[in-house]
Amino acid sequence: MPGILGENPGMQVFLIGLSGWVHHVLYGVLDLIPPPFRTWILKALLKCLGANSFVDYGCFIRYPWTCSIGTGTIINNGCKFYGSHNVSGIEVVIGDHCAIAPNVHIYTAGHDYSSLALNDIAQSVTVGNHVWIGAGAIILPGVKIGDGAVIGAGSVVTRDVPSYTVVAGVPAKVLQKRSLQSENIRVSSEDSPLVDKR
């Protein structure tokens, strides 16, 4: 029975090591490049990087072509997003006007622990619009975070988060609905409490 590294473990270990080295060098160089040029490079590497969005120095996005970041979103220092290369069609999708605090980790891949071969499994992670994810939070594979949600610092999010809720804890649980000031913000959903209905 083949193990986690497939039929040719020596070649798999070599390729995993080479890929890790290339990513390490790439992000080391990116952290030396001034902001406008760095943004252009990130726009070329990522599936999408929206206007007025910023990925801070010290961030790491594994398989950047599987990651989309919307308009006006800030990804703070030390964030790590891990896409999947072994399972096709898996993405990290982050919406518009999000605030991702330092050291947030997003994972799309893992292993099937019901098999001794620990086969690769993966599910996309989707973060809606106007979401705030607190420092050090961990988002696990398959999670969908609804528009306007707030994730408390240090939380481990293992399941979907409803729109306009505040969640925290390990595992994260809904603490309350998000209470919003009237800001006359227009969003696409008529059900959203952010819609100006005048």
Side-chain angles (χ1 to χ4, degrees), residues 82-160:
Y82 291 90
S84 174
H85 179 68
N86 292 333
V87 180
S88 63
I90 303 302
E91 298 179 311
V92 173
V93 179
I94 299 171
D96 300 333
H97 309 291
C98 293
I100 313 295
N103 301 310
V104 168
H105 290 203
I106 297 177
Y107 298 96
T108 64
H111 299 286
D112 179 2
Y113 63 84
S114 69
S115 163
L116 292 177
L118 294 173
N119 298 317
D120 291 329
I121 57 173
Q123 293 179 292
S124 294
V125 170
T126 304
V127 177
N129 301 320
H130 300 282
V131 171
W132 174 22
I133 302 178
I138 296 172
I139 315 298
L140 294 180
V143 166
K144 292 181 178 85
I145 299 174
D147 290 346
V150 175
I151 312 299
S155 297
V156 177
V157 183
T158 61
R159 55 184 62 178
D160 291 354

Side-chain angles (χ1 to χ4, degrees), residues 25-177:
V25 168
L26 171 67
Y27 284 98
V29 169
L30 270 176
D31 280 349
L32 299 173
I33 297 174
F37 303 107
R38 186 173 180 276
T39 299
W40 295 338
I41 294 169
L42 285 169
K43 279 185 180 280
L45 292 173
L46 295 170
K47 184 170 185 178
C48 174
L49 179 62
N52 302 316
S53 288
F54 179 69
V55 178
D56 202 354
Y57 289 85
C59 290
F60 177 80
I61 303 171
R62 189 72 180 251
Y63 312 121
W65 57 88
T66 67
C67 182
S68 298
I69 299 169
T71 300
T73 289
I74 304 298
I75 312 293
N76 249 294
N77 186 278
C79 289
K80 297 183 189 231
F81 304 159
Y82 291 90
S84 174
H85 179 68
N86 292 333
V87 180
S88 63
I90 303 302
E91 298 179 311
V92 173
V93 179
I94 299 171
D96 300 333
H97 309 291
C98 293
I100 313 295
N103 301 310
V104 168
H105 290 203
I106 297 177
Y107 298 96
T108 64
H111 299 286
D112 179 2
Y113 63 84
S114 69
S115 163
L116 292 177
L118 294 173
N119 298 317
D120 291 329
I121 57 173
Q123 293 179 292
S124 294
V125 170
T126 304
V127 177
N129 301 320
H130 300 282
V131 171
W132 174 22
I133 302 178
I138 296 172
I139 315 298
L140 294 180
V143 166
K144 292 181 178 85
I145 299 174
D147 290 346
V150 175
I151 312 299
S155 297
V156 177
V157 183
T158 61
R159 55 184 62 178
D160 291 354
V161 176
S163 295
Y164 304 101
T165 58
V166 177
V167 304
V170 179
K173 295 186 172 143
V174 174
L175 301 179
Q176 64 188 43
K177 290 295 263 178

Side-chain angles (χ1 to χ4, degrees), residues 9-23:
M11 180 56 77
Q12 292 293 325
V13 167
F14 171 76
L15 292 174
I16 290 168
L18 182 61
S19 172
W21 177 80
V22 167
H23 277 92

Side-chain angles (χ1 to χ4, degrees), residues 185-196:
I185 295 173
R186 293 192 180 274
V187 293
S188 60
S189 170
E190 285 301 314
D191 297 330
S192 166
L194 289 175
V195 173
D196 179 4

